[in-house]
Amino acid sequence: MRHRRPPRPGALQTLSPLRILTQILLLQTLHYASAIALILLTALAAGKPFSLDLVLSWRSLRGDTTVGWTLGLCWVMCAGAGIISLLLLIARSKLVLDFALSLHFIHLLVTSLYSKGIPRNWLWWALQAVSASLMAGGGVWACRWRELRPIEFGGGGAAKGKGRDGDEGVGYLVGKGKGRGRDGGGEYEMVGIKDGEDSV
């Protein structure tokens, strides 16, 4: 009988189907909440009545009216809010593309069911492509920025700062103990030079 290798630590928690489903539902909820908030504020500012058609119907998003272009701008701004959601909920750059495309695919299904037909508007499709690209690209950048930040190991907040000459990074406290200075290179003693001695 073959022995199975034990899963790596954290593998079951990060790839749990229930966790992925919960993340997708939270991401979708935040996406629609930001869309409703932006579209509601825009409709109130424009003096137009708010309805769910503005959010869920592809027929409202038309290229020949200012309402359609304003809705398009609101959806692009929702992609910006989606980047923040991806950073906070997903936080792993290699998963961002999957979640961004899943969010837009679910939005396609919701829009098709609500409108009782697959979207036939070029502006809607172009907007979804732009929104998915912005969310994926911005989400990957934001998550990588977060992943690549330096890791701080203790030392407290007093260790960070500027050195004597104003250089960034000088003065980081690496550790305490015998033989360790503030820069981690050991302790050095300044010895004065006597007049008349040859230096090597």
Side-chain angles (χ1 to χ4, degrees):
M1 181 193 295
R2 281 178 65 176
H3 294 284
R4 286 187 176 183
R5 279 193 295 176
R8 62 179 176 79
L12 294 177
Q13 289 81 17
T14 58
L15 298 177
S16 166
L18 183 61
R19 180 177 174 158
I20 291 172
L21 183 63
T22 305
Q23 287 175 326
I24 288 174
L25 287 175
L26 279 171
L27 204 61
Q28 202 78 32
T29 303
L30 288 173
H31 187 67
Y32 283 128
S34 63
I36 288 172
L38 282 171
I39 293 172
L40 177 65
L41 286 172
T42 306
L44 290 175
K48 303 277 184 191
F50 177 78
S51 69
L52 275 180
D53 285 348
L54 295 174
V55 178
L56 298 176
S57 176
W58 58 267
R59 291 181 180 92
S60 301
L61 199 63
R62 297 174 27 189
D64 59 345
T65 63
T66 53
V67 172
W69 285 101
T70 306
L71 284 175
L73 182 64
C74 287
W75 282 108
V76 170
M77 290 180 0
C78 284
I83 292 171
I84 296 169
S85 300
L86 286 169
L87 177 66
L88 296 176
L89 292 176
I90 309 306
R92 292 187 58 197
S93 59
K94 58 200 274 190
L95 299 176
V96 166
L97 181 64
D98 297 336
F99 279 95
L101 293 179
S102 297
L103 183 136
H104 286 84
F105 180 71
I106 292 171
H107 181 61
L108 169 67
L109 293 177
V110 169
T111 302
S112 298
L113 289 172
Y114 184 84
S115 301
K116 297 182 178 73
I118 294 176
R120 294 186 298 267
N121 189 343
W122 67 269
L123 184 62
W124 190 90
W125 287 103
L127 184 65
Q128 296 310 306
V130 167
S131 177
S133 300
L134 279 173
M135 280 185 73
V140 166
W141 178 84
C143 289
R144 281 192 182 162
W145 174 80
R146 184 186 220 178
E147 290 169 353
L148 294 176
R149 283 191 310 185
I151 300 172
E152 297 177 24
F153 295 103
K160 260 183 157 176
K162 296 188 177 187
R164 281 184 239 158
D165 301 329
D167 294 335
E168 291 285 336
V170 177
Y172 277 87
L173 183 60
V174 176
K176 290 186 177 179
K178 194 170 185 176
R180 296 199 180 231
R182 291 190 58 79
D183 63 349
E187 292 185 7
Y188 301 98
E189 184 177 315
M190 297 296 291
V191 178
I193 298 177
K194 295 181 186 177
D195 291 335
E197 286 185 18
D198 293 334
S199 58
V200 180

